Amino acid sequence: MKVAVVGCTHAGTAAVTNIATRYPEADITVYERNDNVSFLSCGIALYVGGVVKDPKGLFYSSPEKLEEMGVTMKMKHEVLDIDSINNRIRVKNLNTKEVFEDDYDKLVMATGSWPIIPPIEGIQLNNILLSKNYTQANTIIERAKEAKRVTVIGAGYIGVELVEAFQKYGKEVTLIDGENRILSKYLDPEFTNIIEEDFKTRGIRLALNETVTRFEGEEHVSKVVTTRGEYEADLVILSVGFRPNTDLLKGQVEMMPNGAIIVDEYMRTSKENIFAAGDSCAIQYNPTGENAYIPLATNAVRMGTLVGQNIMKPTIRYMGTQGTSGLHLFDHSMASTGLTEKAAISVGKHVRTITIKENNRPEFMPDYEVITLKVVYEEDTRRILGAQVISKADVTQSINTLSVCIQNKMTIDELGYIDFFFQPHFNKPWNFLNQAGLQAAL
Ligand SMILES: Cc1cc2nc3c(=O)[nH]c(=O)nc-3n(C[C@H](O)[C@H](O)[C@H](O)COP(=O)(O)OP(=O)(O)OC[C@H]3O[C@@H](n4cnc5c(N)ncnc54)[C@H](O)[C@@H]3O)c2cc1C
């Protein structure tokens, strides 16, 4: 079996490792246009903020490790075309510029995503940077040394993490977003208000409900102009979202309107011998039961692993996702899973919510912190559809528990009586998750 793998960050590395382990006789070739594999972009903000000192720690595999497994690694090789009728690919060696063809029996599409670059006037100016791969991380670090005023555009989780990192680095930071609040996809306003207040008290300027109309500057960017203001800037980071990197298969396999490849539960595309995984794909979103585009490393490694399980025959089904994610910003830890109340309403769900405020452990303990937990559930079925938590204590794992509840279609009433342990160091006799279930029944 001749397997071609296109792209080797998380989905690709997981797929290759699993295929090579299960099928040592397979002839696997990886084509990767970068010179590294498995870079953890989640470490970029930590690297910028000085928490991670050695960026080498942000890789968990290497071309050499995969070669030791018998895989042929074509690094700095870009796949230019895929001909899914004749099972052929055209590849460019980026070092030598040589272009050649190869064939495959099975192809794994793990080309991931690329940051959206809006067509804004002046976007080509120096020091307007993206934050996705290792090279870009190093450029950010390098340019940040000289920069005094940093503007981050896009208040999703990548944007806010960078804002924290630059603030800790001593920069004057502005955060711009077209929405009227930060993290609007992940958390409801009562949660984002807490972080916005915290940002403001730390001197971070929030320019919300504003759209960037142009960048100004000679060679380097010096100003960001929006629909409502102007902000001087020496460095700008664009983090307004991602789009799937799937042009190679356009018109050849089924895709969502944004280009995300549609796969079945065995990671098969609509073309029998082409599998896909990670940010290049749509994923089954359990709270709605529909396909959604949720580019996360967690989804990528699971889907990549399942390609390895299913490449010869359908074996293990993907269970779908709740889009569970967590964040740590200054003193607060927060996490969310499934639908926020706002998102549930926007997809036409009739929902109720329960919000509780509880201390994380008994008041007789020397210290304790307030937890705010909100659970969103369907009005008629009482099925849990989403949850969010924030606290100065780290109780984010509770959101993983609620992710399981959503996955297993549990109701808010069942949540009241699930068996959770009690020990005063960690929690109260009635776990706060139980409390949410109990109080929703009142
Ligand atoms: C700053 C940042 C922070 C993040 N933090 C988190 C986090 O905390 N938790 C989390 O779950 N997720 C996080 N993510 C998301 C996560 O990084 C992505 O979901 C993940 O990288 C997807 O992996 P992937 O392998 O599917 O795709 P990608 O990482 O996009 O990798 C695709 C690979 O394909 C290669 N490629 C593309 N086209 C070609 C071609 N034509 N020929 C050859 N090679 C090609 C690319 O060079 C790349 O190496 C973060 C992302 C960013 C940018």
Side-chain angles (χ1 to χ4, degrees):
M1 176 176 63
K2 196 168 172 186
V3 184
V5 180
V6 192
C8 198
T9 297
H10 300 306
T13 303
V16 167
T17 311
N18 277 278
I19 301 168
T21 308
R22 302 185 146 261
Y23 305 104
E25 70 289 355
D27 173 5
I28 309 166
T29 306
V30 168
Y31 299 94
E32 169 52 60
R33 64 178 170 207
N34 284 333
D35 59 5
N36 57 67
V37 304
S38 82
F39 176 62
L40 286 160
S41 322
C42 55
I44 296 179
L46 297 167
Y47 183 27
V48 171
V51 179
V52 171
K53 303 283 181 224
D54 181 3
K56 292 196 187 78
L58 298 177
F59 298 90
Y60 56 83
S61 187
S62 65
E64 294 74 27
K65 269 193 198 166
L66 298 178
E67 263 163 7
E68 279 166 24
M69 300 182 82
V71 177
T72 305
M73 298 298 292
K74 300 266 189 204
M75 302 304 294
K76 300 281 289 178
H77 279 65
E78 176 161 12
V79 174
L80 302 177
D81 292 302
I82 299 173
D83 171 357
S84 65
I85 295 178
N86 298 303
N87 297 340
R88 293 190 72 77
I89 53 175
R90 204 160 61 88
V91 185
K92 183 173 186 178
N93 178 332
L94 299 176
N95 289 322
T96 64
K97 312 290 177 232
E98 177 208 1
V99 175
F100 60 93
E101 288 199 11
D102 201 356
D103 59 358
Y104 61 84
D105 299 314
K106 310 234 176 197
L107 182 123
V108 180
M109 185 75 169
T111 45
S113 59
W114 194 246
I116 293 170
I117 306 172
I120 302 169
E121 185 187 330
I123 194 127
Q124 76 293 341
L125 287 166
N126 279 342
N127 281 8
I128 301 176
L129 305 178
L130 303 174
S131 169
K132 162 90 181 167
N133 61 28
Y134 184 53
T135 311
Q136 290 163 349
N138 285 319
T139 311
I140 294 173
I141 300 280
E142 199 43 47
R143 305 286 174 84
K145 284 182 191 153
E146 301 295 320
K148 244 180 78 191
R149 297 154 305 186
V150 180
T151 295
V152 176
I153 303 171
Y157 71 91
I158 293 169
V160 296
E161 283 184 337
L162 284 169
V163 161
E164 180 196 30
F166 284 122
Q167 194 272 356
K168 285 184 171 166
Y169 196 169
K171 310 293 176 190
E172 283 171 32
V173 188
T174 303
L175 175 60
I176 300 176
D177 199 290
E179 295 288 326
N180 60 6
R181 59 195 187 86
I182 65 168
L183 293 169
S184 57
K185 280 196 199 149
Y186 307 92
L187 298 164
D188 280 319
E190 55 272 44
F191 291 76
T192 53
N193 288 345
I194 297 171
I195 301 301
E196 286 176 12
E197 278 314 305
D198 193 30
F199 274 13
K200 285 190 224 157
T201 59
R202 292 171 196 272
I204 294 162
R205 182 160 52 179
L206 296 181
L208 302 175
N209 222 352
E210 299 188 24
T211 312
V212 177
T213 52
R214 69 175 187 278
F215 298 104
E216 289 183 4
E218 293 290 312
E219 202 180 320
H220 285 67
V221 68
S222 58
K223 196 189 278 181
V224 183
V225 181
T226 74
T227 40
R228 293 173 53 180
E230 299 190 350
Y231 306 95
E232 311 244 300
D234 312 309
L235 180 64
V236 172
I237 314 289
L238 264 186
S239 57
V240 297
F242 292 89
R243 67 166 204 91
N245 211 349
T246 55
D247 288 353
L248 288 172
L249 283 177
K250 208 169 176 182
Q252 304 192 67
V253 299
E254 222 179 296
M255 292 180 182
M256 286 183 53
N258 75 339
I261 297 168
I262 295 175
V263 287
D264 67 7
E265 60 230 304
Y266 300 108
M267 305 298 111
R268 297 176 295 195
T269 68
S270 54
K271 201 100 201 169
E272 191 196 344
N273 62 340
I274 300 187
F275 291 72
D279 281 14
S280 59
C281 299
I283 194 164
Q284 150 118 5
Y285 185 50
N286 292 327
T288 60
E290 284 170 13
N291 276 323
Y293 187 58
I294 306 178
L296 282 173
T298 47
N299 293 333
V301 292
R302 282 192 291 263
M303 294 171 94
T305 301
L306 286 172
V307 168
Q309 299 280 354
N310 296 317
I311 195 147
M312 291 300 278
K313 62 172 193 313
T315 308
I316 301 183
R317 288 166 190 254
Y318 192 30
M319 296 186 292
T321 184
Q322 282 69 250
T324 310
S325 64
L327 267 177
H328 182 81
L329 295 169
F330 296 109
D331 299 334
H332 289 98
S333 296
M334 67 216 78
S336 69
T337 185
L339 292 165
T340 60
E341 181 179 8
K342 287 222 169 240
I345 293 166
S346 74
V347 295
K349 297 258 179 213
H350 295 286
V351 291
R352 287 191 177 191
T353 67
I354 177 78
T355 300
I356 62 158
K357 281 188 190 291
E358 259 283 18
N359 291 326
N360 69 319
R361 49 189 201 165
E363 291 72 16
F364 60 73
M365 294 299 281
D367 52 64
Y368 47 86
E369 297 288 352
V370 178
I371 301 168
T372 305
L373 169 76
K374 177 171 179 176
V375 184
V376 180
Y377 56 98
E378 209 164 32
E379 192 170 6
D380 51 354
T381 62
R382 297 182 69 80
R383 218 186 105 192
I384 300 169
L385 295 179
Q388 304 149 65
V389 76
I390 190 165
S391 176
K392 288 186 175 173
D394 178 9
V395 291
T396 50
Q397 291 298 329
S398 60
I399 287 298
N400 280 336
T401 306
L402 285 164
S403 170
V404 178
C405 294
I406 300 172
Q407 178 101 54
N408 290 328
K409 300 188 166 51
M410 293 182 71
T411 66
I412 187 75
D413 306 303
E414 287 170 318
L415 183 64
Y417 295 98
I418 297 177
D419 173 37
F420 297 122
F421 77 86
F422 161 57
Q423 209 288 330
H425 277 286
F426 307 110
N427 57 7
K428 291 184 161 188
W430 270 114
N431 187 285
F432 63 96
L433 296 180
N434 290 141
Q435 282 292 349
L438 293 172
Q439 289 183 32
L442 294 177

